[in-house]
Amino acid sequence: MLRNKYAYVWVSLVILIFGIIFIPRIIHRIQRGTVVQNDRMNLKGANEKLAFVEMNGEKRKVPPFAFIDQDSLMITNKDYKGKVYVVEFFFTSCPTICPIMNRNLVQLQEEFKELDDFGVASFTIDPENDTPTVLKAYAEEYGITDMDWHLMTGDMKDIYALANTGFSIFAAQVPEAAGGFEHAGLFALIDKNGYIRSRVDKFGNPIIYYRGAITESDGQNEHGEEEQISILKQDIKKLLEE
């Protein structure tokens, strides 16, 4: 009985020491939000090479494209060769997710503004209204200054084919939707050779695209989905170093 009594004392002492040392740290992490960010997202890849996104066993590459940008210049996929870049589909009169997406992209612009091998490709899904002049004004409004950030417009069929088939990022005209269009608020990450890349989830599968319509400061949206701008920054840096 005496031996068991001492055993209980030792167990109690260990629990007490654990509480003194670790519980304040856990509380501190919860207050800072790092438990949510690091534990709940549970994404692999922070220290791993980014995966290639594949379809039918083939690495997916950005399809050829040629559109007019905000400076009325013809821009093609070849202009991005040798650059790491982010792709989005948006429209300037979007009243919902586009302003968030483009503020996030401006944040990336500022993060990598000293680098010549980083860029952004923005394709409007409302080319009838989003002329080069309109896109230029939009760029000025949002503080888009990177010479390798092109806001592009062109034939509607070509843009929708690029979105829905080339990238499998949904975009459609929906008259009853806010602004008259619906589209996924996703960013594609492209490497210097034009391949779509991403980190993998906890099951080892590529996440494929990054959520672009949630800010780092918000942390998550109303549906409980986590922001991915922070990991996108990390993954851009990885590709820049390849």
Side-chain angles (χ1 to χ4, degrees):
M1 291 294 294
L2 186 60
R3 182 177 300 175
N4 287 340
K5 183 177 180 180
Y6 282 123
Y8 291 139
V9 171
W10 277 108
V11 169
S12 299
L13 183 60
V14 169
I15 293 173
L16 178 62
I17 293 172
F18 177 88
I20 292 171
I21 295 174
F22 293 103
I23 288 178
R25 296 182 184 180
I26 293 171
I27 292 172
H28 181 61
R29 288 184 66 198
I30 291 172
Q31 290 173 338
R32 294 180 59 195
T34 53
V35 168
V36 171
Q37 179 177 342
N38 297 328
D39 299 338
R40 190 162 65 188
M41 282 181 67
N42 201 14
L43 286 175
K44 293 174 62 180
N47 298 308
E48 299 176 4
K49 187 173 181 179
L50 298 187
F52 287 88
V53 175
E54 297 185 356
M55 178 177 285
N56 299 323
E58 300 262 336
K59 296 176 182 177
R60 293 190 66 178
K61 203 167 188 178
V62 175
F65 64 81
F67 297 108
I68 301 297
D69 76 353
Q70 70 269 31
D71 295 313
S72 297
L73 299 174
M74 177 65 72
I75 303 298
T76 76
N77 55 295
K78 294 180 181 178
D79 290 295
Y80 287 95
K81 186 173 177 57
K83 299 182 186 298
V84 174
Y85 65 105
V86 177
V87 168
E88 70 156 345
F89 293 88
F90 82 113
F91 61 108
T92 63
S93 59
C94 173
T96 55
I97 62 174
C98 296
I100 302 170
M101 293 169 66
N102 282 295
R103 283 194 293 269
N104 281 335
L105 287 173
V106 168
Q107 183 181 346
L108 296 181
Q109 169 189 263
E110 296 307 304
E111 181 82 11
F112 302 103
K113 64 182 178 181
E114 304 298 330
L115 303 178
D116 294 330
D117 52 355
F118 173 74
V120 179
S122 298
F123 302 93
T124 177
I125 60 172
D126 184 17
E128 291 185 358
N129 293 305
D130 288 344
T131 63
T133 300
V134 171
L135 293 174
K136 184 73 171 179
Y138 188 85
E140 292 173 354
E141 178 185 353
Y142 277 80
I144 296 172
T145 57
D146 190 336
M147 297 295 291
D148 293 308
W149 184 345
H150 302 282
L151 289 75
M152 289 171 273
T153 188
D155 183 81
M156 181 173 285
K157 290 182 181 178
D158 292 340
I159 292 173
Y160 277 73
L162 183 65
N164 293 306
T165 303
F167 282 96
S168 300
I169 294 179
F170 174 74
Q173 284 185 291
V174 182
E176 62 272 21
F181 298 86
E182 283 187 357
H183 64 110
L186 301 173
F187 293 154
L189 178 59
I190 316 301
D191 70 17
K192 294 179 182 180
N193 296 309
Y195 289 100
I196 304 172
R197 304 283 293 275
S198 82
R199 69 171 58 191
V200 298
D201 63 18
K202 62 183 178 181
F203 303 108
N205 300 311
I207 64 171
I208 305 179
Y209 300 122
Y210 298 77
R211 300 184 190 113
I214 311 172
T215 66
E216 276 190 279
S217 59
D218 285 340
Q220 62 179 258
N221 63 15
E222 60 185 3
H223 305 295
E225 295 174 320
E226 302 293 334
E227 65 85 19
Q228 293 184 334
I229 301 304
S230 55
I231 63 169
L232 179 55
K233 288 180 185 177
Q234 296 172 11
D235 293 350
I236 289 169
K237 292 176 183 177
K238 287 184 189 178
L239 293 185
L240 289 168
E241 293 170 358
E242 284 191 353

